[in-house]
Amino acid sequence: MKIEALRTSQGAGPDLATGSTLEVRGCSIRYGDKPAVNDVTLAFALHRVTALIGPSGCGKSTLLRALNRMNDHIQSCRLEGQVLYHGQDIYDPAIDAAEVRKRMGMVFQKPNPFPKSIFDNVAFGPRLNGTFRGQARQALADHVEKCLRAAGLWEEVKDRLRDSALSLSGGQQQRLCIARAIANDPEVLLMDEPCSALDPISTARIEELILDMRENYTIVIVTHNMEQAARVSDNTGFLLSGDLVEFNNTADLFSRPRSKKTEDYITGRFG
């Protein structure tokens, strides 16, 4: 069954004046007998950037991947609780996981363009899903241009769309992956440390892009870089050993943390 188009539901959490697109309720995730996420409940605000921070192994990437059922591919992974998209549990057996992933684009830590042309990378999803089937060829070309413009890459590649995507720099490849992720017109964009493999200049370009894109997308970003979380996010969740220690608007979490554990982490006492 495909996910029906539903109205946004109201959810608890910081800075949710515009409602929430996505929520997790009582979410626990295990790999075999090993717990990774423990009874987490939080809501991701519509058209806001939510950062998940915490030391390595705290469960933030596992939680992020659970939001679009990427963990389904790991045989030992088990989830309890709910992940709600517009009030609908995406783990309902009747829900098509492929439909979930169309609604929630994913950008990974390391740029991973397909060994195809720049154009074909962006066109891959729409072609696979038959988005422009029966329409003039120009409709797909216009869509590819729109996505590359949204990813801040069009002016750099417009004259070499048939070149291999692997000929691009690392920063350009990551922006291409963002263009590819939004080519299926998702509502949510999930980013798993998208700048960790990039140089400072490329990182700044991606951060500017995140701030621009939140007008059109609900964004969840996992990052080890607390300065980055402070720069780009509206809300921040701090995870430790699988527990959500604190979730608040970013300015308050970094300036007035409620938990001593949060204060110790953001001031560098551990992690």
Side-chain angles (χ1 to χ4, degrees):
M1 185 179 91
K2 291 188 175 183
I3 298 176
E4 297 176 358
L6 302 175
R7 293 184 180 273
T8 56
S9 58
Q10 295 298 315
D15 194 16
L16 289 177
T18 53
S20 61
T21 305
L22 190 62
E23 300 177 60
V24 292
R25 293 183 183 174
C27 184
S28 296
I29 306 172
R30 306 178 69 87
Y31 295 107
D33 294 330
K34 183 180 178 183
V37 175
N38 305 315
D39 194 24
V40 168
T41 295
L42 75 161
F44 300 95
L46 181 69
H47 292 176
R48 297 287 187 272
V49 181
T50 300
L52 300 176
I53 63 171
S56 296
C58 70
K60 55 189 185 296
S61 289
T62 294
L63 180 59
L64 184 81
R65 291 195 300 267
L67 299 179
N68 72 343
R69 294 185 55 172
M70 289 293 290
N71 292 329
D72 286 10
H73 299 295
I74 303 173
Q75 189 172 7
S76 64
C77 187
R78 296 290 181 271
L79 180 144
E80 297 176 357
Q82 292 181 306
V83 179
L84 302 176
Y85 175 70
H86 293 313
Q88 198 163 8
D89 187 358
I90 68 170
Y91 283 87
D92 184 312
I95 294 296
D96 181 359
E99 184 70 17
V100 171
R101 296 180 192 121
K102 280 172 61 179
R103 305 293 182 93
M104 303 183 205
M106 187 89 176
V107 178
F108 296 93
Q109 181 174 358
K110 185 178 179 181
N112 59 343
F114 300 144
K116 299 174 179 288
S117 71
I118 295 167
F119 183 96
D120 286 343
N121 263 266
V122 183
F124 184 85
R127 282 173 172 161
L128 183 66
N129 295 313
T131 306
F132 295 97
R133 187 176 292 127
Q135 298 185 42
R137 213 177 268 183
Q138 188 61 38
L140 177 59
D142 291 344
H143 185 68
V144 168
E145 178 180 344
K146 182 184 78 170
C147 293
L148 287 169
R149 285 188 182 278
L153 192 57
W154 173 253
E155 293 299 329
E156 298 169 45
V157 301
K158 63 182 180 182
D159 297 322
R160 51 187 183 122
L161 294 176
R162 299 301 171 183
D163 289 359
S164 170
L166 302 180
S167 67
L168 298 175
S169 70
Q172 289 174 323
Q173 287 185 11
Q174 192 66 307
R175 282 183 282 146
L176 178 65
C177 291
I178 292 172
R180 187 179 67 196
I182 64 176
N184 285 322
D185 291 327
E187 186 175 9
V188 179
L189 193 58
L190 309 175
M191 311 182 90
D192 193 358
E193 300 205 48
C195 302
S196 65
L198 304 182
D199 61 82
I201 294 175
S202 296
T203 294
R205 295 287 299 274
I206 297 292
E207 290 182 358
E208 290 172 6
L209 188 57
I210 290 170
L211 292 172
D212 289 340
M213 293 179 73
R214 68 179 170 184
E215 294 183 8
N216 300 308
Y217 304 95
T218 297
I219 299 175
V220 186
I221 178 172
V222 162
T223 180
H224 275 103
N225 187 326
M226 285 178 284
E227 290 82 5
Q228 182 175 80
R231 287 192 296 266
V232 304
S233 70
D234 301 288
N235 300 320
T236 298
F238 168 53
L239 284 88
L240 182 65
S241 301
D243 297 324
L244 181 63
V245 175
E246 186 166 345
F247 183 51
N248 205 347
N249 71 74
T250 297
D252 285 347
L253 185 140
F254 280 101
S255 62
R256 295 181 295 276
R258 298 167 181 164
S259 168
K260 182 67 163 56
K261 292 178 181 177
T262 307
E263 181 180 358
D264 288 347
Y265 179 72
I266 65 176
T267 56
R269 293 192 177 100
F270 72 93

